[in-house]
Short mmCIF file of all heavy atoms in Angstrom, two decimals:
data_model
loop_
_atom_site.label_atom_id
_atom_site.label_comp_id
_atom_site.label_asym_id
_atom_site.label_seq_id
_atom_site.Cartn_x
_atom_site.Cartn_y
_atom_site.Cartn_z
N GLU A 311 96.36 92.41 123.37
CA GLU A 311 97.76 92.80 123.17
C GLU A 311 97.99 94.27 123.46
O GLU A 311 99.13 94.74 123.38
CB GLU A 311 98.17 92.49 121.72
CG GLU A 311 97.65 93.48 120.67
CD GLU A 311 96.16 93.32 120.35
OE1 GLU A 311 95.55 92.38 120.89
OE2 GLU A 311 95.64 94.12 119.53
N GLU A 312 96.96 95.01 123.82
CA GLU A 312 97.10 96.45 123.97
C GLU A 312 97.21 96.83 125.44
O GLU A 312 96.35 96.49 126.25
CB GLU A 312 95.88 97.16 123.34
CG GLU A 312 95.79 96.94 121.84
CD GLU A 312 94.59 97.66 121.26
OE1 GLU A 312 94.70 98.85 120.94
OE2 GLU A 312 93.54 97.03 121.14
N ASP A 313 98.27 97.53 125.76
CA ASP A 313 98.47 98.05 127.11
C ASP A 313 97.66 99.32 127.28
O ASP A 313 97.71 100.21 126.45
CB ASP A 313 99.97 98.34 127.31
CG ASP A 313 100.28 98.78 128.74
OD1 ASP A 313 99.35 98.89 129.54
OD2 ASP A 313 101.47 99.02 129.01
N GLU A 314 96.88 99.41 128.36
CA GLU A 314 96.04 100.58 128.56
C GLU A 314 96.85 101.81 128.93
O GLU A 314 96.40 102.93 128.74
CB GLU A 314 95.00 100.29 129.66
CG GLU A 314 93.97 99.24 129.26
CD GLU A 314 92.90 99.08 130.30
OE1 GLU A 314 92.88 99.89 131.27
OE2 GLU A 314 92.06 98.18 130.19
N LYS A 315 98.06 101.63 129.48
CA LYS A 315 98.89 102.77 129.86
C LYS A 315 100.31 102.58 129.33
O LYS A 315 101.27 102.39 130.09
CB LYS A 315 98.90 102.93 131.38
CG LYS A 315 97.54 103.31 131.96
CD LYS A 315 97.62 103.54 133.46
CE LYS A 315 96.28 103.95 134.04
NZ LYS A 315 96.33 104.19 135.50
N PRO A 316 100.49 102.62 128.02
CA PRO A 316 101.83 102.43 127.45
C PRO A 316 102.68 103.68 127.66
O PRO A 316 102.17 104.78 127.88
CB PRO A 316 101.55 102.21 125.97
CG PRO A 316 100.27 102.96 125.72
CD PRO A 316 99.47 102.81 126.98
N THR A 317 103.99 103.51 127.59
CA THR A 317 104.89 104.65 127.64
C THR A 317 104.83 105.39 126.31
O THR A 317 104.33 104.86 125.31
CB THR A 317 106.34 104.20 127.90
OG1 THR A 317 106.79 103.41 126.78
CG2 THR A 317 106.42 103.37 129.17
N PHE A 318 105.37 106.63 126.30
CA PHE A 318 105.36 107.37 125.04
C PHE A 318 106.20 106.66 123.99
O PHE A 318 105.87 106.67 122.81
CB PHE A 318 105.87 108.80 125.24
CG PHE A 318 105.88 109.60 123.98
CD1 PHE A 318 104.69 110.06 123.42
CD2 PHE A 318 107.06 109.86 123.31
CE1 PHE A 318 104.69 110.77 122.24
CE2 PHE A 318 107.08 110.58 122.13
CZ PHE A 318 105.88 111.04 121.59
N ARG A 319 107.32 106.04 124.42
CA ARG A 319 108.14 105.30 123.46
C ARG A 319 107.35 104.18 122.82
O ARG A 319 107.46 103.93 121.60
CB ARG A 319 109.38 104.75 124.16
CG ARG A 319 110.30 103.94 123.26
CD ARG A 319 111.54 103.46 124.00
NE ARG A 319 112.37 104.58 124.41
CZ ARG A 319 113.54 104.44 125.05
NH1 ARG A 319 114.00 103.22 125.34
NH2 ARG A 319 114.25 105.50 125.39
N GLU A 320 106.54 103.50 123.61
CA GLU A 320 105.71 102.42 123.06
C GLU A 320 104.65 102.97 122.12
O GLU A 320 104.37 102.37 121.06
CB GLU A 320 105.06 101.64 124.21
CG GLU A 320 106.05 100.83 125.04
CD GLU A 320 105.44 100.27 126.31
OE1 GLU A 320 104.44 100.84 126.80
OE2 GLU A 320 105.97 99.26 126.81
N VAL A 321 104.06 104.11 122.48
CA VAL A 321 103.05 104.73 121.60
C VAL A 321 103.70 105.18 120.29
O VAL A 321 103.13 105.00 119.20
CB VAL A 321 102.38 105.93 122.30
CG1 VAL A 321 101.48 106.69 121.32
CG2 VAL A 321 101.57 105.46 123.50
N PHE A 322 104.91 105.73 120.38
CA PHE A 322 105.62 106.18 119.18
C PHE A 322 105.88 104.99 118.25
O PHE A 322 105.64 105.07 117.04
CB PHE A 322 106.95 106.84 119.55
CG PHE A 322 107.63 107.54 118.41
CD1 PHE A 322 107.43 108.90 118.19
CD2 PHE A 322 108.45 106.84 117.53
CE1 PHE A 322 108.04 109.54 117.13
CE2 PHE A 322 109.07 107.47 116.47
CZ PHE A 322 108.87 108.82 116.26
N ALA A 323 106.35 103.89 118.82
CA ALA A 323 106.63 102.70 118.01
C ALA A 323 105.36 102.11 117.42
O ALA A 323 105.32 101.70 116.25
CB ALA A 323 107.37 101.65 118.85
N THR A 324 104.30 102.07 118.23
CA THR A 324 103.03 101.51 117.76
C THR A 324 102.45 102.33 116.63
O THR A 324 102.01 101.79 115.60
CB THR A 324 102.02 101.45 118.92
OG1 THR A 324 102.53 100.59 119.94
CG2 THR A 324 100.67 100.93 118.46
N THR A 325 102.44 103.64 116.79
CA THR A 325 101.86 104.52 115.77
C THR A 325 102.72 104.56 114.51
O THR A 325 102.19 104.65 113.40
CB THR A 325 101.69 105.94 116.32
OG1 THR A 325 100.94 105.89 117.54
CG2 THR A 325 100.96 106.83 115.33
N SER A 326 104.03 104.48 114.68
CA SER A 326 104.93 104.61 113.54
C SER A 326 105.03 103.34 112.70
O SER A 326 105.05 103.42 111.47
CB SER A 326 106.33 105.00 114.02
OG SER A 326 106.31 106.22 114.72
N CYS A 327 105.06 102.17 113.36
CA CYS A 327 105.32 100.97 112.56
C CYS A 327 104.73 99.67 113.12
O CYS A 327 104.45 98.75 112.35
CB CYS A 327 106.83 100.79 112.36
SG CYS A 327 107.77 100.70 113.90
N LYS A 328 104.53 99.54 114.42
CA LYS A 328 104.14 98.26 114.97
C LYS A 328 102.69 97.89 114.66
O LYS A 328 102.38 96.72 114.42
CB LYS A 328 104.37 98.25 116.49
CG LYS A 328 105.85 98.22 116.88
CD LYS A 328 106.03 98.20 118.39
CE LYS A 328 105.56 96.90 118.99
NZ LYS A 328 105.84 96.83 120.44
N ASN A 329 101.80 98.87 114.69
CA ASN A 329 100.40 98.64 114.34
C ASN A 329 100.21 98.91 112.85
O ASN A 329 100.47 100.02 112.39
CB ASN A 329 99.50 99.54 115.18
CG ASN A 329 98.02 99.32 114.92
OD1 ASN A 329 97.52 99.60 113.85
ND2 ASN A 329 97.32 98.82 115.92
N ARG A 330 99.77 97.93 112.09
CA ARG A 330 99.71 98.07 110.64
C ARG A 330 98.75 99.18 110.20
O ARG A 330 99.01 99.86 109.21
CB ARG A 330 99.30 96.74 110.00
CG ARG A 330 97.94 96.20 110.44
CD ARG A 330 97.68 94.82 109.88
NE ARG A 330 97.56 94.85 108.43
CZ ARG A 330 97.54 93.75 107.68
NH1 ARG A 330 97.67 92.55 108.24
NH2 ARG A 330 97.41 93.85 106.37
N ASN A 331 97.68 99.37 110.95
CA ASN A 331 96.72 100.41 110.59
C ASN A 331 97.29 101.81 110.85
O ASN A 331 97.17 102.71 110.02
CB ASN A 331 95.42 100.22 111.38
CG ASN A 331 94.79 98.88 111.12
OD1 ASN A 331 94.43 98.55 109.99
ND2 ASN A 331 94.66 98.08 112.16
N LEU A 332 97.93 101.98 112.02
CA LEU A 332 98.52 103.27 112.34
C LEU A 332 99.74 103.56 111.47
O LEU A 332 99.99 104.71 111.10
CB LEU A 332 98.89 103.31 113.82
CG LEU A 332 97.70 103.28 114.79
CD1 LEU A 332 98.18 103.15 116.23
CD2 LEU A 332 96.83 104.53 114.63
N PHE A 333 100.50 102.52 111.12
CA PHE A 333 101.61 102.70 110.18
C PHE A 333 101.10 103.19 108.83
O PHE A 333 101.68 104.11 108.23
CB PHE A 333 102.36 101.38 110.00
CG PHE A 333 103.16 101.33 108.72
CD1 PHE A 333 104.34 102.05 108.59
CD2 PHE A 333 102.71 100.57 107.65
CE1 PHE A 333 105.07 102.02 107.41
CE2 PHE A 333 103.43 100.53 106.45
CZ PHE A 333 104.62 101.26 106.33
N ALA A 334 100.01 102.61 108.36
CA ALA A 334 99.43 103.02 107.07
C ALA A 334 99.04 104.50 107.11
O ALA A 334 99.28 105.24 106.16
CB ALA A 334 98.22 102.15 106.73
N CYS A 335 98.46 104.92 108.24
CA CYS A 335 98.06 106.32 108.38
C CYS A 335 99.28 107.24 108.43
O CYS A 335 99.29 108.31 107.80
CB CYS A 335 97.22 106.50 109.64
SG CYS A 335 95.60 105.71 109.60
N SER A 336 100.30 106.84 109.18
CA SER A 336 101.47 107.70 109.36
C SER A 336 102.21 107.91 108.04
O SER A 336 102.58 109.04 107.70
CB SER A 336 102.42 107.10 110.40
OG SER A 336 101.82 107.08 111.68
N GLN A 337 102.42 106.83 107.29
CA GLN A 337 103.12 107.00 106.02
C GLN A 337 102.27 107.76 105.01
O GLN A 337 102.78 108.56 104.22
CB GLN A 337 103.57 105.64 105.46
CG GLN A 337 102.47 104.68 105.04
CD GLN A 337 101.93 104.93 103.65
OE1 GLN A 337 102.65 105.41 102.76
NE2 GLN A 337 100.66 104.63 103.44
N ALA A 338 100.95 107.57 105.06
CA ALA A 338 100.07 108.31 104.15
C ALA A 338 100.07 109.80 104.48
O ALA A 338 100.06 110.64 103.58
CB ALA A 338 98.64 107.75 104.22
N GLY A 339 100.07 110.13 105.78
CA GLY A 339 100.13 111.53 106.17
C GLY A 339 101.42 112.19 105.73
O GLY A 339 101.43 113.32 105.23
N LEU A 340 102.55 111.48 105.89
CA LEU A 340 103.83 112.03 105.46
C LEU A 340 103.85 112.27 103.96
O LEU A 340 104.28 113.33 103.50
CB LEU A 340 104.96 111.07 105.87
CG LEU A 340 106.39 111.58 105.64
CD1 LEU A 340 107.31 111.06 106.74
CD2 LEU A 340 106.94 111.17 104.28
N ILE A 341 103.38 111.30 103.18
CA ILE A 341 103.39 111.45 101.71
C ILE A 341 102.41 112.53 101.28
O ILE A 341 102.69 113.30 100.34
CB ILE A 341 103.03 110.11 101.04
CG1 ILE A 341 104.12 109.08 101.34
CG2 ILE A 341 102.87 110.29 99.55
CD1 ILE A 341 105.50 109.43 100.81
N ASN A 342 101.26 112.64 101.95
CA ASN A 342 100.30 113.68 101.60
C ASN A 342 100.92 115.07 101.73
O ASN A 342 100.80 115.91 100.85
CB ASN A 342 99.07 113.57 102.50
CG ASN A 342 98.05 114.66 102.24
OD1 ASN A 342 97.25 114.58 101.32
ND2 ASN A 342 98.08 115.72 103.03
N ASN A 343 101.59 115.32 102.85
CA ASN A 343 102.22 116.63 103.05
C ASN A 343 103.51 116.77 102.26
O ASN A 343 103.94 117.89 101.96
CB ASN A 343 102.46 116.88 104.54
CG ASN A 343 101.19 117.29 105.25
OD1 ASN A 343 100.09 117.09 104.73
ND2 ASN A 343 101.31 117.87 106.42
N LEU A 344 104.14 115.64 101.92
CA LEU A 344 105.31 115.68 101.05
C LEU A 344 104.93 116.26 99.69
O LEU A 344 105.61 117.13 99.16
CB LEU A 344 105.89 114.28 100.90
CG LEU A 344 107.17 114.11 100.08
CD1 LEU A 344 108.01 112.96 100.64
CD2 LEU A 344 106.87 113.83 98.61
N ASN A 345 103.82 115.78 99.12
CA ASN A 345 103.44 116.33 97.80
C ASN A 345 102.93 117.76 97.91
O ASN A 345 103.05 118.54 96.96
CB ASN A 345 102.45 115.41 97.06
CG ASN A 345 101.10 115.29 97.71
OD1 ASN A 345 100.45 116.28 98.03
ND2 ASN A 345 100.63 114.06 97.90
N ASP A 346 102.40 118.12 99.08
CA ASP A 346 102.00 119.52 99.27
C ASP A 346 103.23 120.43 99.33
O ASP A 346 103.26 121.50 98.73
CB ASP A 346 101.18 119.65 100.56
CG ASP A 346 100.55 121.03 100.71
OD1 ASP A 346 100.13 121.60 99.69
OD2 ASP A 346 100.49 121.53 101.84
N GLY A 347 104.27 119.97 100.07
CA GLY A 347 105.51 120.74 100.12
C GLY A 347 106.14 120.88 98.76
O GLY A 347 106.67 121.94 98.40
N MET A 348 106.09 119.79 97.97
CA MET A 348 106.60 119.85 96.61
C MET A 348 105.82 120.85 95.77
O MET A 348 106.40 121.64 95.00
CB MET A 348 106.53 118.46 95.97
CG MET A 348 107.02 118.38 94.52
SD MET A 348 105.83 118.91 93.25
CE MET A 348 104.47 117.76 93.50
N SER A 349 104.51 120.85 95.91
CA SER A 349 103.68 121.71 95.06
C SER A 349 103.97 123.19 95.30
O SER A 349 103.99 123.98 94.35
CB SER A 349 102.19 121.41 95.30
OG SER A 349 101.74 121.95 96.53
N TRP A 350 104.21 123.57 96.55
CA TRP A 350 104.49 124.98 96.84
C TRP A 350 105.85 125.40 96.30
O TRP A 350 106.04 126.54 95.89
CB TRP A 350 104.40 125.23 98.34
CG TRP A 350 103.00 125.31 98.84
CD1 TRP A 350 102.32 124.34 99.52
CD2 TRP A 350 102.08 126.38 98.66
NE1 TRP A 350 101.03 124.74 99.78
CE2 TRP A 350 100.86 126.00 99.27
CE3 TRP A 350 102.15 127.62 98.04
CZ2 TRP A 350 99.74 126.81 99.27
CZ3 TRP A 350 101.03 128.44 98.06
CH2 TRP A 350 99.85 128.04 98.66
N GLY A 351 106.81 124.48 96.31
CA GLY A 351 108.15 124.85 95.88
C GLY A 351 108.38 124.71 94.39
O GLY A 351 109.03 125.57 93.77
N VAL A 352 107.85 123.64 93.77
CA VAL A 352 108.20 123.30 92.39
C VAL A 352 107.17 123.81 91.38
O VAL A 352 107.54 124.28 90.30
CB VAL A 352 108.38 121.78 92.25
CG1 VAL A 352 108.56 121.37 90.78
CG2 VAL A 352 109.59 121.33 93.06
#
């Protein structure tokens, strides 16, 4: 199911939400830095 030469739009969609493993990483990275941003401010 994996295209060896996907467009950037396809890579963005795959990394953001279409691939369950990459989605898990992306949301975890956002939340990790979210709590870091909170810690510096609050």
Side-chain angles (χ1 to χ4, degrees):
E311 77 285 356
E312 296 180 86
D313 184 358
E314 292 186 7
K315 294 183 178 180
T317 65
F318 180 73
R319 179 178 295 182
E320 291 170 335
V321 172
F322 190 94
T324 298
T325 306
S326 300
C327 57
K328 289 181 68 175
N329 182 293
R330 60 186 294 169
N331 300 300
L332 293 173
F333 159 74
C335 292
S336 294
Q337 66 83 30
L340 187 146
I341 295 298
N342 178 82
N343 282 17
L344 183 148
N345 67 51
D346 189 37
M348 179 279 300
S349 75
W350 283 103
V352 172

